[in-house]
Amino acid sequence: MRTGQILAAVLMVFAASVVAAPGASEAAPRPALPPSSVLRATLPNGLRVVIVRNSLAPVVATAVNYLVGSDEAPEGFPGTAHAQEHMMFRGSADLSADQLANIGSAMGGSFNANTRESLTQYLYTVPSEDIDIALHIEASRMRDVSDSQESWDKERGAIEQEVAQDLSSPFYRLYAQMREKLFAGSFYAHDALGTKPSFDRTSAAMLKNFHDAWYAPNNAILVIVGNLDPRETLARVREQFGSIPSKKLSPRPVLNLAPVVPGKLELATDRPSMTQIVALRLPGLDSPDYPALEILSDVLGSQRADLYGLVVQGRALSAEFSMDPLRQAGIGYAAVSFPADGDAGDMDGRIRAILSKVAARGVPAELVAAAKQQERRQAEFQKNSIEGLASAWSDALALYGLPSPDADLARMEKVTVADVNRVARKYLRLDGALSATLRPERSGRPVAAGSGFGGQESIALGEARNDDLPAWAVGTLQHLSPPASTVHPVVSRLPNGLTLIVQPTRVSDTVSIFGHVRNRPEMEEPAGKEGVSLVLEELLSYGTRQHDRVAFQQALDAIGAEESVGADFRIKSLAPNFARAAALLAENQLHPALPPEAFSNIRAQFSAYIAARNRSPAYLAQRGLRASLYPAGDPMLRQASEASLTGLSLDDVAAYHAKVYRPDLTTIVVIGNVTPAQARAVIAREFGGWRAEGAPPAVDLPVIPPNRSAALAVPDTSRVQDNVVLAQTLAVPRADPDYYPLALGNAVLGGGFYATRLSIDLRKNAGLVYSVSSDMQPGRSRSAYLVRYASDPQNVGKAADAVQREIADMQQMPPTAGELLKAKALLIRQMPLHESGTDEIAQALLARVDLGLPLDEPQAAASRYIALTPVEVQAAFRKWMRPGDLVRTSQGPVP
C-alpha cells in the first residue's frame, strides 16, 4: 500500500470530522477555560490534603509526600529511608506483597516511589474509577507496614542491585564525589541511594523503627489531581485516613556546613565525548535568594548566553547550566560536552571565565525578561499533565514550602535584574568551585560470550501465582470493558498532502504543535553520505533565511516559546501566541538558514564525535546487536563514519532537506485551547505553501529472514554491572492481528513491575536483577522483541537462561486464566493513563499515523484484548517466538 493510500485509510475513521474552510479566522475568541477547582483541608490527625480537579482524561494521580528522607537516616546508614521506601511494597497489615503488586498491575501498572533528602513520595496514577483502591493502599501503608526480616532479606538483594546499577553510571559516580566535596562532614555529603555495606548491616527492625517514627499523617501531605469531584474525594480521604493516629515527631537533624575546599575530580566514562563540569555550592530552597538563583540559572543556560556560545563557536557539542536544589543548600553546575580529543583544562578555563564575567558584569536585562517569560509558559504547561500537575503541587507544598505552584511563579515575577546580578556576585565565587572531568575511555574489543545462555549453574524459578485479593479490590480485576476516552481528534488534509490533526483541550491556556515527517535515514541517505541527517538536524537550530540564530531565539523568547525542529518538530506556547508560534516553527522547519560557517563547525564536531562514538562501548553493543539480528546489506547496518562526515558538503545537506522534508509525508497535531477551525486556518497559512518535488522516497524497511542466536560481550571498565539486552526479530508487522495476542502474552511475562513472571522470578524471588523489562518494537514491515536488564556479571547468564525458559514455557502451556485477566486489566487500564497528558496524546496520534493505524485503535485494541483466550496467546507465541534464537549482548564486565 502506498503512503497516500495508507493515510487515506487512517483518515476514513474520522472522515465526518473534517473541518471546513481553510480561510476560517484564527482570530476568533478562544474557548473559555473552566474555573480552577482546588480544595484544601487538614484532617484532625494533621494530614494535609490538596485536591485539584483536572478534566483532561478519566484519570487520577495521587502523591503521598512524607516529610522524611535521607536527612533523617541514622548515622552510618544513609540509605535507611530508601530501604523503607522499597519495603512499603513488601506488604502491610491487610495486604501481602503479591496482592499489592497484583492490584497495582490491574490498575494500569503506573505506581512508583522516590526518596530524596527531605522527602519520600509514593505515587499512583490510576483510572478515576479506581481512586478508592489507591487511597486504601496508601492508608494501609501509612497505618502500618510489615517490614519482616524475611522480606528484607529478599529486598536487600534488589536494592543492592539498584546501587550497583547507579554505580555503573560515570555521571552518578561523579555526582556522588562532588557532593562529598561540596558538603563534606554533613548529611548532605551523601544522597538518598545508600551503600551496599550499610544495607548489609541494616535489619528489618531498624526499618520498622524508621517507619514508626516518621510515617504519620501529621508528617505527610496528600495531593490528588484528576478528573474527580473534590468534595466527594475529600470525603473518601477522611474515611480512609481519618482514623490513623498522629505521632510525636523527633527533632530534625541540624545541617552544619564547612567551607568548600576547591579541587579537581576526574573519572573515566564510556561515553564518546568528554564532559567538563564546574560546580559550586549554592543556597537551598529555604533561602530568600532562591527565586533570583532560579532566574540566574535560566539566564546562564539560555541559548543566547555565553555558555552556549561555546557550541556556536564550534568548541563544544552541548553546554548547559543547572541547579540541584536541596532544602538547606544546593549545587549549581555548568556542564560542557566536547570532542574526546579536546583539552579539558582549556575548557575548564573558558567555563570559569564565563562565570566570572557574569559575576563581575551582571546579566543582560533582556535575558532576565526572557527567563521570566519561559517560567510563565512552564507554569501554565504544568496543567497539561495530570501526573505532572500532581508532581508540581507536591514539590511546591512539600519541598518549596509554598502554598501552590503559582506561588513559585509569583515570587519569580518579583525578581529584578538587580536581584539576579546581586546573587551572581554573591554566589558565583570560583575560589570555592570544583572542577570535574569525565574522560572517555576506549572499550576492549567485543568478545563472544559463549554459544549458550549461561553456565552450569541454574536457579529455581518462583511461581507467578495470583493471591486472593481483598474484597475491596476484587472488582478492579473483574471489571473489564473498553475505557472511555476524551480524545476525539478532528482530521483534515491540506491540498499539499499534509495531514492535520486537531485535539482541543480546556485544561490550560496553551497550544502545542507537534509534527512528524515519515523518514528513514538508513534508506534515504545517499551512499557515502551517511550522517547527513545528523548534521542537518543540528544545523537547523542556526537560524532561518529571515532571522539569524540569535534573532530567531529572540523571537522565540519574546513569546516564551519552546521549539525544536527536524524530522520530529514541535513548538509550545501560551494560547494567545499560537499564530506567532506556528509562523516561527514553519519558518525554521521549511526555510532554515543553513549557514556555511556553522556547517563547517558542525561537520568538524560531528566527525570527531562519530569517530569516538563508533569506538564507545554503548555503540559497540548496539552495533553488535544489530549485526546479529539483521542480514548483511540490511539498511539498519549502515553507519556514519568520520570519512562519510568529512566528505559532506553544504549542498549535500540542502539536498537531503529538500528530498526528505515533504508535506505529503508530514503529519501535524495541534493540541490545546484552540478550535479546529482556528488551528486549520493558522496551519494552512504557514504550511500550505510547502511543496514536494518528485515521488516520495521509500521509507519502509524490507522484510528480513529470522535471525539466529548469538552472544556478544562488550568490555566496559567504567561499569560495575552489565547492561544486558536479549532480542529477536519478529516477522509480525504492527497491523497483523497476531500483534494483540503477542502483546498480551508479553504483558504476562514483563508488563508490570512485581506482578509479572520475569519480575517475580528474576527480581523478587532470585534477586538477580534490580529491574527487568520486555517489550515489542513493532513496525510497518518488521518488528523486534527485546528483554532488558542490568545484573552483576556472574548473574548475566542465569538471568538469560530464566528468560529463555519463560518464553518457552509460554509456548508449551497457555497462561492461566488469572494471569491473562491480570494482563488484560493492565493493558486496558493503561489506555486512559496514556491520555493523561497532552504531550502523550499528541505523540500517540503521530505514532498511529506513522504505523498506518486508525486513530481510534486503542478502543478496538481493548475489545480485542478482552476477547482473547489463553490458547490464542499460546498459539501466537508458538508461531512467532523463537527463544532458542535470542541474541544476547552485554556491556560491562565480561560475564
Side-chain angles (χ1 to χ4, degrees), residues 714-735:
V714 176
D716 184 351
T717 56
S718 71
R719 300 186 59 85
V720 298
Q721 271 202 328
D722 284 285
N723 271 345
V724 186
V725 178
L726 312 178
Q728 69 157 89
T729 56
L730 288 173
V732 185
R734 177 60 178 84

Side-chain angles (χ1 to χ4, degrees), residues 76-147:
F77 296 87
T80 300
H82 184 202
Q84 182 53 51
E85 173 221 300
H86 275 240
M87 291 298 289
M88 291 282 276
F89 293 93
R90 283 285 182 173
S92 57
D94 62 349
L95 278 173
S96 70
D98 289 327
Q99 287 176 326
L100 185 58
N102 287 334
I103 293 170
S105 176
M107 291 192 298
S110 183
F111 58 100
N112 211 333
N114 66 75
T115 305
R116 304 191 222 181
E117 288 74 11
S118 60
L119 179 66
T120 306
Q121 297 176 304
Y122 297 88
L123 313 168
Y124 272 96
T125 303
V126 301
S128 297
E129 65 196 80
D130 295 331
I131 184 173
D132 285 338
I133 308 273
L135 292 177
H136 191 119
I137 290 171
E138 296 296 11
S140 175
R141 299 195 295 191
M142 180 183 288
R143 190 181 304 274
D144 199 9
V145 70
S146 299
D147 277 352

